[in-house]
Amino acid sequence: MTERTRIELGRREDLGADCARCFGLCCVALAFARSADFPFDKPAGDPCENLDERDACRVHADLRPRGFTGCTVFDCFGAGQKVSQQTFAGRSWRDDPGTRDAMFAIFPIVRRLHELLWYLEQAISLVRDAGDPAPLLSRFDRVSALSREQPDLLAGLDVDAEYDAARPLLLQASEDARRGILGETRDRGVRRRLGPGRDLAGAALTGADLRGLSLRGSLLIAADLSGARLSHCDLLGVDLRNANLAGADLAGAIYLTQMQVSSARGDHLTVLSQGFVRPAHWSAGEQNRP
């Protein structure tokens, strides 16, 4: 299977998908419904018809043309290889039917824990040079330890409670990092529309200077952000599906994930921070396609 991004975090975790060390869990454990992202329905626990006996995708090179856009966007944050190689010690769901149901139930839980680890790692980076990273480090180590627990404990874990405990730390780190940074977009009408939790679907924000703003939890589906400046802009949970990022500067965007990047449209002028992969469809003539 084609290699995907691996974000190496050294002393603590690897939060990037390594499909070669996974038993195709995202292609089996998860359900998907016929939609713009998938061409047919697939129940959770049923292998995708495109998954071969080596846990590789038969149509990996042609996923988008065949209607599997959702597959090209999904990122397990490294949970696939952890569940495959650590939680279940290299036992495949194919070879050990007794672990099948448990493995499929645990995978989404570990994925959510790894996503939280991703956000915590970003927050640690934000406060490393200014502020006290100790609470974030402590929270990271707790979540990391939970992600390595045995299946029985993971199955009963309240993941929502872990997110609730981490949320104030993430928000504070963002606020500290954005303090004193303000973009040059002075149009009051534009600025009134911007903020956490806003519906900005289809918004025209071409060339907008959004530095230092928080758009946390906002809908920016199909928004035009071409040429926008998003350094130190809080993008936690922002829906960027089909947003136009052509020529936008996302270097230093806060809490940006590869899934958000992959769900959007960009071009060779889009600036990304180190560690992100420029999606293949950006260079396939789709960057300005509605």
Side-chain angles (χ1 to χ4, degrees):
M1 185 174 291
T2 302
E3 183 178 357
R4 294 174 65 183
T5 310
R6 302 186 69 220
I7 306 299
E8 302 288 350
L9 299 178
R11 68 191 182 280
R12 292 194 293 272
E13 290 287 341
D14 175 3
L15 300 180
D18 185 359
C19 299
R21 299 180 59 231
C22 176
F23 298 130
L25 295 183
C26 65
C27 306
V28 188
L30 306 180
F32 56 73
R34 185 174 181 178
S35 62
D37 292 326
F38 299 101
F40 53 78
D41 296 329
K42 188 194 82 65
D46 286 1
C48 175
E49 64 184 34
N50 296 314
L51 188 69
D52 68 20
E53 65 281 356
R54 297 176 295 107
D55 297 321
C57 177
R58 296 185 180 92
V59 297
H60 191 269
D62 300 309
L63 285 168
R64 279 183 172 264
R66 291 174 177 266
F68 292 94
T69 301
C71 297
T72 68
V73 171
F74 180 78
D75 188 355
C76 73
F77 293 93
Q81 67 260 28
K82 174 171 279 185
V83 172
S84 297
Q85 303 301 329
Q86 296 185 32
T87 312
F88 289 92
R91 301 190 305 275
S92 172
W93 55 273
R94 296 180 186 273
D95 304 326
D96 187 356
T99 68
R100 178 188 174 104
D101 291 344
M103 181 177 286
F104 294 167
I106 294 303
F107 171 61
I109 295 171
V110 176
R111 184 196 173 277
R112 288 197 67 202
L113 291 174
H114 270 224
E115 183 177 26
L116 180 54
L117 289 173
W118 167 275
Y119 290 131
L120 288 167
E121 176 65 21
Q122 302 310 301
I124 291 166
S125 298
L126 291 175
V127 304
R128 186 168 285 133
D129 296 329
D132 180 11
L136 286 162
L137 289 166
S138 176
R139 179 56 49 180
F140 186 107
D141 290 339
R142 171 184 165 77
V143 177
S144 178
L146 289 172
S147 74
R148 296 191 298 272
E149 284 288 356
Q150 296 300 306
D152 288 349
L153 188 146
L154 284 166
L157 183 65
D158 187 347
V159 183
D160 288 338
E162 298 303 321
Y163 272 79
D164 289 343
R167 187 171 292 109
L169 297 173
L170 299 178
L171 300 186
Q172 187 62 53
S174 170
E175 183 176 330
D176 292 345
R178 292 182 292 108
R179 186 174 292 116
I181 298 174
L182 185 64
E184 297 174 356
T185 299
R186 302 300 183 187
D187 187 309
R188 292 186 178 181
V190 171
R191 296 197 71 83
R192 276 198 300 269
R193 296 169 58 200
L194 304 178
R198 305 296 174 84
D199 185 352
L200 299 170
L205 295 168
T206 305
D209 190 343
L210 306 177
R211 292 176 299 170
L213 289 177
S214 174
L215 300 178
R216 184 175 58 252
S218 294
L219 296 178
L220 281 161
I221 300 172
D224 187 353
L225 290 161
S226 56
R229 303 169 69 183
L230 293 140
S231 175
H232 289 84
C233 180
D234 188 334
L235 298 178
L236 179 65
V238 172
D239 193 336
L240 289 172
R241 283 178 293 168
N242 208 33
N244 184 3
L245 300 178
D249 185 355
L250 288 93
I254 295 174
Y255 301 136
L256 180 68
T257 69
Q258 182 67 48
M259 284 187 65
Q260 288 171 302
V261 170
S262 297
S263 71
R265 296 173 288 127
D267 63 9
H268 67 287
L269 296 177
T270 306
V271 181
L272 299 170
S273 295
Q274 183 178 3
F276 284 91
V277 166
R278 192 173 299 273
H281 67 275
W282 285 14
S283 59
E286 295 187 20
Q287 59 266 29
N288 295 312
R289 188 177 300 171

